[in-house]
Every structure is written in structure tokens, then in C-alpha cells.
Amino acid sequence: LRLLPRQRYLQAEGAEVDALERKRNVLCCLITRILKVEKQLHSDNLVFKVIDACRKGELGPGLQFLSFCCHSVDVLSCVLHLLNQGYLRRQEERPHVLEY
């Protein structure tokens, strides 16, 4: 039984690694932009907003990128990365609510 998703970075090579890194950067920017507007958001709602924006190809006002497939695992991985970097924080009394 496999509970964790496979680590794609460990199996990727060359151009594929670059594409995955660009995707992660776009997702991190999108998460940050959404939380700057919303100020605080439940983690589930954030995931839905990011996935919806990726599907529509919208990064923000006046900016667009090619739509790409993004999964909740990708978004949550970026959220954890941003939490570790100190860009996002959790509320102490409600850890499922994220703040910018």
C-alpha cells in the first residue's frame, strides 16, 4: 500500500526537471497572490482556488499563463514549501487556516 505520492523530482532528468521547477514557481506565486488578496483562507479553499486558476490559465489581473494540469498534491507541496520559507503561516487556534 502506497500512501505518499511518488517524488517526481527524483526520477526526472534535464528539461523535465526544469519544467517541474517552473510549475512549482508558478504555483507558489499563485498561492501567494491569492493569499495577499484573501488575507486568510482555509487550506481546502486555497487548493480549490489554485486548481481553478490553473485550469482557467489566470495568474492575476492582466497576467495569464498557459493553463496546465495541477493536482491538490502539487498545491499542498507548494504550501508546505512556502510555510517552511516563512512566506505563509498558520493560525495557532485554527491550523487549517493559512495567512500571508
Side-chain angles (χ1 to χ4, degrees):
L1 181 64
R2 184 174 207 114
L3 297 177
L4 296 174
R6 299 185 119 194
Q7 296 296 320
R8 291 184 283 174
Y9 284 101
L10 299 177
Q11 300 169 350
E13 295 181 19
E16 188 179 354
V17 171
D18 292 340
L20 288 171
E21 189 67 26
R22 281 192 303 276
K23 180 178 178 179
R24 187 181 84 163
N25 289 340
V26 168
L27 288 175
C28 287
C29 290
L30 186 54
I31 290 166
T32 303
R33 185 171 291 242
I34 289 170
L35 281 174
K36 277 183 178 180
V37 171
E38 298 287 336
K39 305 297 184 216
Q40 64 181 18
L41 204 55
H42 189 282
S43 57
D44 292 342
N45 291 339
L46 177 61
V47 169
F48 292 134
K49 283 183 178 274
V50 171
I51 290 173
D52 188 49
C54 288
R55 187 174 51 246
K56 291 178 181 177
E58 299 172 350
L59 182 56
L63 298 173
Q64 291 193 349
F65 59 90
L66 295 174
S67 63
F68 60 88
C69 182
C70 132
H71 302 284
S72 59
V73 173
D74 299 326
V75 177
L76 291 172
S77 173
C78 290
V79 166
L80 289 175
H81 175 72
L82 291 169
L83 282 167
N84 288 332
Q85 295 292 318
Y87 292 108
L88 305 181
R89 66 173 183 236
R90 292 182 167 147
Q91 291 183 351
E92 287 186 30
E93 63 279 356
R94 297 177 354 196
H96 51 278
V97 175
L98 300 169
E99 298 177 333
Y100 176 74

